[in-house]
Amino acid sequence: MSQSQRPDKNNCYPIRIRSCVKGKVKYFPTGIMVEKEQFKNKEVVKHYNKAALNSSLHSQLLQIEKEFFEGTIFKKKNDPDFYFFCENKIKQQKARDTPGTSRHKESYLNKLKAFKRVLTFNDITPGFMYDYETYCKERGNKDTTIWGSVKFVKKMINAALNDGAITGNPLKGYKAPTYVGPVRKYLTEKEIESLEKFTKKSKIEKLVKVADWFLFACYTGLRYDDVRTFDKKQIVNDRIILRTGKTKSDVSIKVHPKLKLVIERMALGVISNTKMNDYLKVIGADCKINKELTFHLARHTFAVYWLDNGGTMESLRELLGHSSMRTTQIYGKVTNLK
């Protein structure tokens, strides 16, 4: 734990293991966060779970020592460091990626580091990937998350092949898990009406704002990032016209009467997505909605109602700003089931 590290929102600092070999220094994240006074003399103190945390630190230290004696703690010649390549590639792609996409890539990379602390391209084999899948399952990851974790590795391997960083695909013969799309949940008309009533009866201003932002998304199908940057100047001739942040698609949405009422009373300047989802849980409980409310649920709701009311799949794709019709067709399956 060093002075240069920054605490998180709970004022906790990350514990890192520092290795120095022949003047080369390397830091290894442990995934453990504690308050400053809870870490002294290289061990966790005054923490309700200190025994388990210290056990984890000891195990990780032993693993690093093992890697040192095996000669893998620093990359070998002619065997490029996979993590070094990934970190540089993520930085290069940051300009074109949305903040959410960059966060996903960094999250996948951190999980891979937790599985294997040091990783070169020669370490990546079909067997390694099957072991990684098992690790993800043991962590309790859902099928979609495991698919995304594996896809990240495959994309980085393809990028390395394109850049000439490696020759020959190390994953040849590896059968990746098939993508299984999540079940799209949505709100019923009655549940949306209960949210409308909530905005009129609630005395808590912050909750009313959140409910309005959520209803705005239900009536437009916009993602959180697009709602966050929404400005009333984007309304031209009773239509919301904007370019989406994620797919850079141009969308044009009719300002219908219900949407107009929400826009007239809606406060601009959306709070963080995490906070938004926390408040939505409170609102959902008050409205007796027996579903986990998340901001993205509004987008699903819009899509289902668009198709239910006679809208076409092609126009829905344009409204949602999907780059692929395959993504839009998931909502067709939802309406068929319904």
Side-chain angles (χ1 to χ4, degrees), residues 306-307 311-318 325 328-329 331-332:
W306 175 265
L307 295 175
T312 65
M313 195 72 72
E314 290 75 15
S315 54
L316 179 61
R317 177 189 172 185
E318 294 296 323
M325 177 60 83
T328 315
Q329 286 171 341
Y331 297 105

Side-chain angles (χ1 to χ4, degrees), residues 220-223 226 239-240 242-244 247-253 299 302 306 312-325 328:
T220 60
L222 293 176
R223 297 180 181 89
D226 296 320
R239 300 193 78 85
I240 296 173
L242 56 82
R243 172 161 288 192
T244 63
T247 58
K248 310 301 180 191
S249 303
D250 294 314
V251 298
S252 173
I253 303 161
R299 186 167 166 87
F302 171 85
W306 175 265
T312 65
M313 195 72 72
E314 290 75 15
S315 54
L316 179 61
R317 177 189 172 185
E318 294 296 323
L319 287 167
L320 294 179
H322 284 160
S323 55
S324 169
M325 177 60 83
T328 315

Side-chain angles (χ1 to χ4, degrees), residues 31-44:
I32 297 173
M33 304 281 290
V34 294
E35 295 175 14
K36 251 185 182 176
E37 59 271 19
Q38 292 176 326
F39 189 70
K40 290 182 180 178
N41 300 322
K42 299 181 181 179
E43 67 175 18
V44 178

Side-chain angles (χ1 to χ4, degrees), residues 16 32 35 66 120 125 135 163 166 183 187 203 205 221 246 251 256 283-284 286:
R16 299 186 299 173
I32 297 173
E35 295 175 14
K66 177 176 177 287
T120 64
T125 63
Y135 169 78
D163 292 355
I166 58 173
V183 177
L187 295 185
K203 306 290 185 192
E205 185 181 352
K246 184 174 181 179
V251 298
H256 52 78
I283 294 168
D286 188 281

Side-chain angles (χ1 to χ4, degrees), residues 58 88 116 274:
H58 180 67
N88 283 331
K116 187 169 174 60
T274 303

Side-chain angles (χ1 to χ4, degrees), residues 6 43 60 77 90 104 115 178 193 195 200 236 243 284 286 298 301 311 332:
R6 294 182 179 179
E43 67 175 18
Q60 293 187 54
K77 289 181 180 178
I90 291 171
H104 277 316
F115 171 61
T178 306
E193 286 174 359
L195 287 170
K200 296 177 176 65
V236 180
R243 172 161 288 192
D286 188 281
T301 301

Side-chain angles (χ1 to χ4, degrees), residues 150-198:
V150 167
K151 184 183 177 186
F152 168 77
V153 178
K154 290 180 67 180
K155 278 195 167 185
M156 287 297 158
I157 290 293
N158 287 334
L161 287 166
N162 291 334
D163 292 355
I166 58 173
T167 57
N169 188 350
L171 294 182
K172 189 175 181 181
Y174 168 63
K175 292 185 178 180
T178 306
Y179 175 74
V180 179
V183 177
R184 304 291 194 206
K185 294 182 180 178
Y186 60 93
L187 295 185
T188 65
E189 192 170 347
K190 188 176 180 180
E191 288 166 338
I192 294 176
E193 286 174 359
S194 69
L195 287 170
E196 286 281 11
K197 289 175 183 176
F198 177 85

